[in-house]
Amino acid sequence: MTRARKHLPCPNAPLVLHSCPMPHLDLQSLQSELNPEQLRAVTTLDGSILIIAGAGSGKTRVITYRIAHMLDSGIPQSQILALTFTNKAAREMEERVKSLTGKKLQNLTVSTFHAFGVRILRADIDKLGWRENFSIYDETDKSSLIKESGRELQFTADTLDVYKIANLFSNIKTGRKNWESANDMYRALYDSYQQGLQLYNAVDFDDLIMLPIKLFHEHPDVLAKYKARYKYIMVDEFQDTSHQQYELMHLLAQNNVAVVGDDDQSIYSWRGADYQNIVQFEKDFPDMQEIRLEQNYRSTETILDAANGVIAHNTNRKDKKLWSGNGGGKPIELFMPENEVAEAEFIAESIQGIAMEETRKYDEFGILMRTNSQSRAIEEALLEANIPYMMSGGTSFFERMEIKDIISYLRVVANHDDDINLLRIINTPRRGIGRSTIAMLNELAKQNASTLWQAMAYFVKDPSGKMSESAKKSLLEFIELIETGRTTLLGGKGLAGKVRQFVDDINYRDYLIGEFQKNEKAVRFKLQNIETLLQSIETWENNPDTDDSGLFNYLNRITLLSRDDIEDDSGKGKVNLMTIHASKGLEFPVVFIAGAEEGLMPHARSVEENNGNVEEERRLFYVAITRARDKLIISSCQKRKKLQAVVECEPSRFLAEIPQHLVECHEIRDEEVSEEQAHDYLAAMLKKFR
């Protein structure tokens, strides 16, 4: 049966509805902007609702209109809590609501889960034994603390696989794993790591969810305070919530809660996400209403039919079928290059050809890969063809050495007991505090269960002669430098200017010149990075939405920044090269999916770890398909170099799941194969994987 499909305004277009902000979101104005399912999701304010939002179905539009409609209906800003997963998504959501309402919305809470956890802990972490103005350890700090704890317990280098141990600790802390004989040797190390966090008045990223849950369970009065405030809760990307994030939401939620997600786009199980939370939500809120958004405003009918054909092979999912009012569109093109080098050359040449023939800009192209290891050949081909590109997921700005050093100084200024960052900067630039001095500080701190800062203060005044006078002098100069910085940086406004002066006071620029004296280009790059940091601080503190431009607030803010939140205007006019995971939430007129082969899609490791279950890998392929708006080109190599060997490749089983009539098969640089040959080829693949 064919349903009537009304073509409605695109929900993903920039949210500029009128020349001035919409004064009143009455039913008539909502009906003109939303399709019937979107309208129902926006106007159902009371009770619990589950919104299943398919790819490109206007999810963000629904959420922002829903918040605007709440405000227009008289619900106070302070009673609304909207949770999502990236700072970028939270910013976009808040900006769209402001555009709709024309209000500043200073009491509206639109936040990531982790940033909301910080807000809770800032107010009440003392009830759990921490002090105010705690530090948030990133992965680098976490690794340093694990190493320090390992040295104290005399772990050998062979047994101290920091990456493996950090993952284990995260899994233990969040309940994804329990202690067992295979990992029990790390239990004492875990306890030492936890003690170190509290000693240094620090928390790690897992704590930003786990500690608020602990706080709510142990202090019902604190939970009651938040339940009394937040009467309306919304959760975006609900399929990406972990069990702990779900528990945090469930503790806060009363009845008026709306969750928005798509089980077909759940691709983050490896970091704790569980789309089964959708099932749990249905159990915990039995009176909930389910609303499905299936009209896609992004892609052509051909691309959606291909995506529907693939994802239908998953059995554990909500049954839905995306449809489009954008017309049939061009067939999906499948190419089988000889190897990864030929594949990369083909992609580069195709981008040049399509850009010229269809007058497209380079930023209209997306190249999606299953793993970062595929990028080298593609990058080389793009460079050879003089095609500008941007590789997503590179080194974070805040992970660069010089930025990390400056931030470490600021963290020690803010929190003297932060031993990890103190150790990073105590002799950077070099100031005569050698390893023997640091060893003495560590030993004293260990004996007295104190921090390194307290140990330094003791030795500076110690008359026993255990430490040399020159070492004492160096320690005293360092203490005075930090204390002077604290007096300056924590008082009044103008943080950027004060940080600039502090960088001069520690002679950091001279240090860089000395360290990289044979590489003038590296020095210029690092100095420019420091200038970029100072400018970003100035921009942040001058933003009228920044209600607290102090050092503590700035440090917590930058710790919460994830890689996809680093703004980079240089990406304009460049081809977008990224993993499929990094592409989620994005869209491009033309998409290339590279390496559609067994072992890559689905990935061999995922197949092995999941006992042959490929449903998440299929969801990943589905996400890749639905990034394309107009044109989708897939390549599957016949051979690929793995380590030092060249191996024969088989086409991905997912290619055989795309309805045959939607695909055109090509041989690179040869004539297009006939329609009959293409059907025979795909039929053979389908038979192979039955």
Side-chain angles (χ1 to χ4, degrees), residues 587-613:
E587 62 179 73
F588 307 100
V590 182
V591 166
F592 292 83
I593 301 177
E597 303 140 26
E598 287 293 302
L600 277 177
M601 296 184 207
H603 197 280
R605 185 176 65 247
S606 178
V607 175
E608 180 181 346
E609 291 176 353
N610 292 285
N611 299 316
N613 188 320

Side-chain angles (χ1 to χ4, degrees), residues 265 267 580 583-584 619-627:
Q265 296 187 73
I267 58 174
I580 302 172
S583 74
K584 188 157 177 288
R619 292 195 292 270
L620 197 58
F621 191 63
Y622 170 84
V623 167
I625 292 174
T626 53
R627 298 313 94 196

Side-chain angles (χ1 to χ4, degrees), residues 343-344 346-351 362-372 374-375 377-379 381-382 387-392 574-583 588 590-595 601 624 627 632-633 635:
E343 176 184 53
F346 155 70
I347 291 172
E349 291 170 6
S350 297
I351 289 173
Y362 281 132
D363 58 10
E364 295 183 59
F365 294 86
I367 307 172
L368 310 185
M369 314 165 292
R370 176 61 180 85
T371 70
N372 274 314
Q374 295 172 250
S375 73
I378 298 172
E379 287 189 75
L382 294 173
I387 296 174
Y389 71 93
M390 179 176 65
M391 173 71 182
S392 296
K574 297 182 179 181
V575 168
N576 301 275
L577 175 61
M578 63 188 66
T579 63
I580 302 172
H581 281 103
S583 74
F588 307 100
V590 182
V591 166
F592 292 83
I593 301 177
M601 296 184 207
R627 298 313 94 196
L632 176 61
I633 302 169
S635 54

Side-chain angles (χ1 to χ4, degrees), residues 296-571:
N296 175 287
Y297 293 86
R298 174 189 299 156
S299 307
T300 65
E301 200 74 52
T302 296
I303 291 169
L304 293 184
D305 286 347
N308 288 331
V310 170
I311 203 64
H313 288 76
N314 274 7
T315 56
N316 197 5
R317 62 185 288 265
K318 291 272 187 183
D319 185 36
K320 71 184 81 68
K321 187 174 182 180
L322 298 179
W323 59 275
S324 170
N326 295 337
K330 300 170 183 176
I332 293 166
E333 298 183 66
L334 174 62
F335 290 82
M336 295 193 65
E338 181 180 355
N339 54 37
E340 69 272 17
V341 175
E343 176 184 53
E345 291 173 350
F346 155 70
I347 291 172
E349 291 170 6
S350 297
I351 289 173
Q352 287 178 318
I354 295 169
M356 185 176 295
E357 293 169 11
E358 302 181 12
T359 59
R360 292 191 181 276
K361 295 180 290 186
Y362 281 132
D363 58 10
E364 295 183 59
F365 294 86
I367 307 172
L368 310 185
M369 314 165 292
R370 176 61 180 85
T371 70
N372 274 314
S373 63
Q374 295 172 250
S375 73
R376 185 187 60 80
I378 298 172
E379 287 189 75
E380 288 179 357
L382 294 173
L383 288 169
E384 182 69 25
N386 292 318
I387 296 174
Y389 71 93
M390 179 176 65
M391 173 71 182
S392 296
T395 302
S396 163
F397 177 78
F398 290 99
E399 290 300 312
R400 291 170 182 166
M401 180 204 85
E402 60 279 7
I403 303 304
K404 189 87 173 167
D405 284 345
I406 301 301
I407 297 300
S408 289
Y409 267 103
L410 297 181
R411 291 195 190 286
V412 174
V413 165
N415 176 9
H416 293 347
D417 297 330
D418 186 343
D419 283 7
I420 298 296
N421 283 296
L422 188 147
L423 285 170
R424 181 183 181 92
I425 54 127
I426 193 169
N427 206 33
T428 303
R430 291 178 180 81
R431 50 177 60 91
I433 302 175
R435 289 189 178 184
S436 59
T437 303
I438 294 173
M440 292 176 70
L441 293 173
N442 272 324
E443 185 61 30
L444 183 65
K446 181 180 178 182
Q447 288 175 0
N448 294 283
S450 71
T451 65
L452 291 175
W453 184 268
Q454 292 166 333
M456 283 195 299
Y458 171 83
F459 271 123
V460 164
K461 298 177 181 178
D462 180 25
S464 68
K466 291 181 181 179
M467 184 174 285
S468 69
E469 290 302 315
S470 62
K472 284 185 181 181
K473 182 174 181 292
S474 296
L475 287 178
L476 181 60
E477 289 173 352
F478 178 69
I479 290 173
E480 290 174 346
L481 178 69
I482 298 299
E483 290 289 14
T484 301
R486 184 177 178 87
T487 301
T488 303
L489 288 163
L490 296 188
K493 297 183 179 181
L495 181 62
K498 293 173 181 177
V499 174
R500 185 183 296 278
Q501 182 59 51
F502 187 66
V503 172
D504 290 339
D505 293 342
I506 62 177
N507 296 317
Y508 193 80
R509 292 183 176 87
D510 291 340
Y511 161 72
L512 284 179
I513 293 170
E515 285 290 298
F516 299 92
Q517 52 187 314
K518 294 182 180 180
N519 192 340
E520 185 179 336
K521 185 177 179 181
V523 172
R524 284 201 307 270
F525 178 74
K526 293 178 181 300
L527 291 176
Q528 182 57 51
N529 284 338
I530 293 173
E531 185 60 34
T532 300
L533 173 69
L534 296 170
Q535 290 172 0
S536 72
I537 296 174
E538 186 175 6
T539 300
W540 170 75
E541 64 181 338
N542 290 332
N543 188 325
D545 290 335
T546 301
D547 54 359
D548 177 3
S549 59
L551 180 61
F552 292 121
N553 196 34
Y554 175 74
L555 291 174
N556 279 335
R557 170 184 174 269
I558 62 172
T559 301
L560 291 167
L561 286 173
S562 56
R563 287 181 175 181
D564 64 328
D565 297 316
I566 305 301
E567 295 182 5
D568 184 4
D569 291 336
S570 65

Side-chain angles (χ1 to χ4, degrees), residues 2 29 33 36 95 103 105 136 145 191 195 228 257 259 264 284 313 333 371 381 410 539 550 592 645:
T2 303
S29 64
E33 298 293 338
E95 287 166 4
K103 299 177 181 177
L105 305 179
I136 304 171
L145 181 55
D191 291 340
Q195 291 164 8
V257 55
V259 297
D264 287 337
D284 290 336
H313 288 76
E333 298 183 66
T371 70
L410 297 181
T539 300
F592 292 83

Side-chain angles (χ1 to χ4, degrees), residues 139-149 151 162 420:
E139 289 303 311
T140 303
D141 299 328
K142 181 177 179 179
S143 296
S144 297
L145 181 55
I146 290 172
K147 288 178 184 176
E148 179 192 309
S149 301
R151 284 193 297 269
V162 175
I420 298 296

